[in-house]
Amino acid sequence: MLNKKIADLLNDQINKEFYSAYLYLEMSNYFEAKGLDGFANWFYVQAQEERDHAMLFYRYLQNNDEKVCLQAIAKPDKEFKCCMEALQEALNHEEYVTSLIHNIYAETEHLNDFRTREFLHWFVAEQCEEEDNARDLINKMKNFGGDNGGLYLLDQELSQRKYESPSLTLD
Ligand code: FEO
């Protein structure tokens, strides 16, 4: 059995990850409506990754004999005035998720929960990549998205992103 505080934090994280999936689906929806199918694809794939993150926490709890308590997923209440605002929001959100993961990690250290700490290592590294991807997108938009030709090419590039299963798997 896990410490109750750790189990509760992991359970909450399932909801946060599903909310992330919802938020990125909303962004995909936003870009689709603007005719930017490549951006829409990029965020659609991102939503799939977030669903995987949620399922990893879900499975980890079950594997440790903890009953999962699924919570309602909040509506992604975001209005984007422009593409750049949506991209910035994605980065802000990833930084927030990083803080959540770090908070759970800190609790595992405090409570000597070596097993959960080991499990979280993958997420700590993943958050570095997630933030980097979000920052990269902002920089590409700044550098190339300023005119229609550049935006078209960037959209084409983002249309190539493919979903891949996470490198971490739990039976
Ligand atoms: Fe599950 Fe994008 O962090």
Side-chain angles (χ1 to χ4, degrees):
M1 291 286 273
L2 299 175
N3 174 282
K4 180 162 179 355
K5 182 156 191 195
I6 297 287
D8 286 348
L9 285 168
L10 294 174
N11 199 86
D12 285 349
Q13 195 61 30
I14 296 174
N15 187 270
K16 304 283 200 238
E17 300 290 347
F18 274 127
Y19 175 78
S20 301
Y22 248 37
L23 178 64
Y24 292 136
L25 270 185
E26 181 76 347
M27 290 180 182
S28 180
N29 198 28
Y30 169 81
F31 285 111
E32 187 81 28
K34 287 184 116 19
L36 291 167
D37 295 357
F39 282 83
N41 171 66
W42 197 94
F43 279 104
Y44 186 82
V45 172
Q46 191 61 31
Q48 290 174 293
E49 286 198 2
E50 300 300 346
R51 177 207 57 200
D52 288 340
H53 296 169
M55 295 310 294
L56 286 167
F57 285 106
Y58 173 92
R59 186 56 82 201
Y60 179 78
L61 281 170
Q62 289 184 335
N63 287 352
N64 282 278
D65 205 23
E66 295 286 346
K67 188 171 185 305
V68 170
C69 181
L70 294 173
Q71 316 275 354
I73 302 166
K75 181 178 186 295
D77 231 355
K78 303 283 179 193
E79 296 280 333
F80 309 116
K81 293 194 195 80
C82 63
C83 298
M84 187 57 99
E85 194 174 292
L87 301 184
Q88 187 60 53
E89 177 58 32
L91 176 58
N92 294 348
H93 186 70
E94 285 307 326
E95 289 172 346
Y96 166 65
V97 173
T98 297
S99 74
L100 296 174
I101 299 288
H102 287 183
N103 181 45
I104 307 173
Y105 192 97
E107 282 299 331
T108 65
E109 294 217 303
H110 180 59
L111 295 166
N112 285 339
D113 182 346
F114 306 112
R115 184 186 300 176
T116 304
R117 192 167 60 188
E118 181 64 28
F119 166 68
L120 289 175
H121 282 157
W122 185 87
F123 286 92
V124 170
E126 175 74 2
Q127 281 312 121
C128 179
E129 191 182 315
E130 296 273 78
E131 285 183 28
D132 188 46
N133 287 344
R135 235 176 266 117
D136 191 47
L137 213 47
I138 289 171
N139 287 334
K140 281 181 174 164
M141 189 67 170
K142 275 186 192 155
N143 290 333
F144 311 115
D147 67 80
N148 287 342
L151 187 60
Y152 176 77
L153 291 174
L154 183 53
D155 193 56
Q156 290 288 303
E157 181 189 322
L158 299 181
S159 72
Q160 302 304 309
R161 186 180 186 191
K162 301 252 185 308
Y163 167 73
E164 289 173 22
S165 301
S167 54
L168 175 67
T169 52
L170 299 178
D171 294 329

